[in-house]
Amino acid sequence: MRKTSRNRLYLGWMPVHQEKTFYLETFGCQMNAHDSEKVVGTLVSEGYRQVSTVEEAGLVLYNTCSIRDKAEQKVFNRLADYKKYAKQGKKFGVLGCVAQQEGDRIFEKAPYVSLVAGSASYRNLPKMLVQIEAGNRRVTGLDDRETDECFETEFTARTNSHRGYITIIEGCDKFCAYCVVPFTRGKERSRTSASVLAEARQMADLGYTEIQLLGQNVNSYYDSTGDPAKRKTFAELLTAVAEVPGIRRVRFTTSHPRDFGKDIIEAIDSEPGLCDHVHLPVQSGSTRVLDAMQRLYTREQYLERISWMKAARRDISITSDMIVGFPGETEDDFQQTLSLLDEVEYDAVFAFKYSPRPNTPAIAMEDAIPDEEKSRRLTVLLEKQREIQKRRNQKHLNEHIEVMVESKNESRGQWMGRTSQNKTLNFSAPPDTRIEAGNYVQVRVTTALPNSLVGEMISSQESAWK
């Protein structure tokens, strides 16, 4: 059963009307996935029923990502594929970052689209739905990103039964030279710590044991509480959420190195409920390229933050994002990125070829890197990182690790769980063992692979915790 919160309160099943159906496809990051939960919750509250195919739906929605051109093009390809359904009376809507980026131009590219709405306007979806139902063929929600209004919705559908997401900050003020997010998500706006904690407590009451705090730059959080004496820093908020009764694990993503303070590591060290994993995107190992990217820190400053994590009492898993082929990136710059892999020894890296995005300074930069050279650099980087991950994962052999169970692969007869360090651990269990998604079990690691661990369950009893 999907859990739905209204003002963070559980309502159970909403009343639905069979004649109003919708299909929603989500592209992009975890924030987009959580945004889709807000959209689903709002539509269900308005009497719509979610269906699993375009053919069944009266309203077809795409929640979009514009970080890379391939993600953006995928949306327009999908719209073109389903153009034939417009003749059957289906309504189409484009939501999210591509909607905010392209605006009314989407109506020109795809005249059968009826709704174009950015993420900050989702709380106004009920009004927009009324307009669509009345036959309005061009309904937009694109201006709210420039305001300080709350970006939460009244209803949120919780589509994961054991892990819940809470957006604590929306938007970005950093204006990296390659990034379109400030233009699609707007300026940074943070919630009050009181509202975040209230939502965490209500999610715990619904049975959630893991919470992930979200933001484009989650650690740039600034408590918008009116009384300065009651404001919490990001590190203090992390600790407070972890102390909510019933919450067993707290994660956060994505952090920006400029605003990453030592107090975050101190909080992880002192509060067992905070997962020992930090995702800290670096993008390049070259200070010259970082400056061209307008990342607001140097290689040395980034490595200082890494040193804080390496010196922690807990073994903190470190992951990152990297871009290869940024305009003007020389072979020496690329070699500096490779040397950073050796120096940090990341547990995982998400690497991408640079792709020009509209409205960004980088789109006008000279010295573009040929795509074939970008591909070569990406291959070299990923192969090097694969060896590092394989070596890093070897240290877990024979360890007993707690995992939260997520699913079962019936064909392999294995369960899949995730460790506190956010590593995937596939494990076997004795026949007829009762395990459900959301359970915590102890697993002995027997095999270390570059991208995952393999093990055997040693205990189905959940370890003691608060």
Side-chain angles (χ1 to χ4, degrees):
M1 179 182 293
R2 176 182 298 120
K3 299 173 183 177
T4 308
S5 52
R6 175 181 184 178
N7 295 331
R8 314 303 141 209
L9 294 178
Y10 178 58
L11 291 184
W13 287 108
M14 298 287 186
V16 297
H17 301 289
Q18 295 294 324
E19 70 274 11
K20 296 202 296 186
T21 56
F22 74 97
Y23 169 85
L24 174 63
E25 185 172 356
T26 304
F27 301 84
C29 64
Q30 288 168 319
M31 288 202 69
N32 265 24
H34 181 44
D35 283 345
S36 286
E37 291 184 329
K38 301 174 188 178
V39 172
V40 170
T42 300
L43 264 69
V44 170
S45 74
E46 293 297 310
Y48 282 76
R49 179 171 60 89
Q50 187 173 15
V51 295
S52 58
T53 66
V54 171
E55 289 77 9
E56 299 173 84
L59 177 63
V60 180
L61 301 171
Y62 297 106
N63 187 9
T64 62
C65 172
S66 62
I67 291 294
R68 287 176 293 279
D69 55 355
K70 287 185 178 179
E72 177 183 314
Q73 191 56 47
K74 186 183 294 184
V75 175
F76 287 108
N77 289 343
R78 191 78 88 247
L79 284 170
D81 291 341
Y82 293 134
K83 179 180 179 180
K84 58 186 178 183
Y85 293 116
K87 297 178 181 179
Q88 300 176 8
K90 296 183 188 297
K91 305 291 184 181
F92 289 82
V94 178
L95 312 175
C97 291
V98 172
Q100 193 68 53
Q101 173 186 298
E102 298 296 318
D104 289 345
R105 292 191 295 272
I106 292 176
F107 294 126
E108 306 302 325
K109 293 181 179 180
Y112 45 92
V113 169
S114 300
L115 172 66
V116 175
S119 60
S121 67
Y122 293 159
R123 65 184 177 279
N124 295 324
L125 270 174
K127 297 177 183 177
M128 291 185 271
L129 291 171
V130 169
Q131 295 181 55
I132 292 173
E133 292 167 3
N136 193 325
R137 297 181 60 184
R138 289 194 172 192
V139 179
T140 59
L142 299 171
D143 298 322
D144 290 321
R145 66 190 179 93
E146 296 300 333
T147 74
D148 287 319
E149 294 181 60
C150 176
F151 46 84
E152 290 300 293
T153 54
E154 185 178 7
F155 297 94
T156 299
R158 304 294 180 179
T159 55
N160 188 308
S161 62
H162 47 275
R163 177 182 299 110
Y165 300 99
I166 301 177
T167 301
I168 67 170
I169 179 173
E170 173 85 8
C172 180
D173 293 344
K174 302 301 186 290
F175 288 93
C176 298
Y178 55 82
C179 187
V180 73
V181 167
F183 306 100
T184 59
R185 292 275 185 170
K187 62 183 180 180
E188 292 176 357
R189 294 98 69 203
S190 296
R191 294 172 61 182
T192 65
S193 57
S195 71
V196 173
L197 289 169
E199 184 168 357
R201 285 190 290 268
Q202 289 157 357
M203 290 177 68
D205 291 342
L206 294 177
Y208 289 94
T209 60
E210 181 176 308
I211 286 179
Q212 185 158 354
L213 304 183
L214 300 177
Q216 275 78 32
N217 298 313
V218 69
N219 62 308
S220 303
Y221 172 81
Y222 176 80
D223 192 346
S224 58
T225 301
D227 184 354
K230 296 181 179 180
R231 289 177 186 158
K232 294 184 182 297
T233 65
F234 175 66
E236 290 169 340
L237 179 63
L238 283 176
T239 300
V241 173
E243 290 175 346
V244 170
I247 299 302
R248 187 162 181 159
R249 287 181 176 179
V250 177
R251 303 186 185 277
F252 58 95
T253 194
T254 294
S255 296
H256 192 288
R258 193 193 73 170
D259 296 337
F260 193 88
K262 198 172 184 179
D263 59 341
I264 298 173
I265 304 305
E266 293 169 348
I268 293 173
D269 257 348
S270 62
E271 175 49 64
L274 297 179
C275 289
D276 42 359
H277 168 234
V278 171
H279 186 69
L280 194 64
V282 65
Q283 308 304 359
S284 173
S286 163
T287 293
R288 192 188 71 81
V289 173
L290 290 172
D291 184 58
M293 288 179 167
Q294 300 172 194
R295 285 292 287 172
L296 307 176
Y297 55 85
T298 64
R299 176 189 174 112
E300 290 69 30
Q301 290 169 331
Y302 180 85
L303 284 172
E304 179 184 30
R305 284 139 180 82
I306 296 297
S307 71
W308 298 339
M309 288 183 261
K310 298 283 189 180
R313 293 189 300 274
R314 298 177 70 184
D315 179 19
I316 298 176
S317 170
I318 305 171
T319 58
S320 193
D321 295 339
M322 292 185 178
I323 296 172
V324 299
F326 188 77
E329 181 190 65
T330 65
E331 180 62 26
D332 180 66
D333 292 323
F334 176 60
Q335 289 299 321
Q336 290 183 54
T337 296
L338 295 181
S339 73
L340 188 72
L341 295 181
D342 287 326
E343 188 163 356
V344 177
E345 290 197 309
Y346 293 103
D347 288 273
V349 166
F350 303 90
F352 311 93
K353 296 187 291 185
Y354 165 75
S355 59
R357 310 309 301 128
N359 304 316
T360 61
I363 200 170
M365 290 182 178
E366 298 179 355
D367 299 324
I369 309 299
D371 190 65
E372 59 186 28
E373 176 59 17
K374 292 181 191 176
S375 297
R376 183 193 72 82
R377 294 180 186 181
L378 181 62
T379 298
V380 170
L381 187 152
L382 292 177
E383 288 179 350
K384 186 178 188 66
Q385 177 59 28
R386 179 181 175 85
E387 291 304 311
I388 292 172
Q389 287 177 203
K390 184 177 181 179
R391 185 171 65 251
R392 291 281 298 169
N393 282 344
Q394 290 286 332
K395 68 179 182 178
H396 295 299
L397 285 174
N398 293 315
E399 284 186 356
H400 293 182
I401 300 179
E402 181 187 79
V403 301
M404 182 174 75
V405 180
E406 295 194 344
S407 62
K408 185 178 183 181
N409 186 318
E410 295 291 350
S411 63
R412 293 203 306 248
Q414 284 185 321
W415 293 90
M416 191 278 280
R418 199 164 295 275
T419 72
S420 175
Q421 290 192 337
N422 205 35
K423 294 185 178 182
T424 299
L425 205 170
N426 299 300
F427 64 95
S428 59
D432 302 323
T433 303
R434 286 183 58 85
I435 306 176
E436 296 182 0
N439 287 168
Y440 292 81
V441 300
Q442 291 288 326
V443 177
R444 182 175 68 86
V445 178
T446 58
T447 306
L449 303 173
N451 296 311
S452 64
L453 303 171
V454 180
E456 300 172 343
M457 190 182 76
I458 57 176
S459 172
S460 60
Q461 299 298 316
E462 299 200 43
S463 54
W465 62 296
K466 64 178 183 290

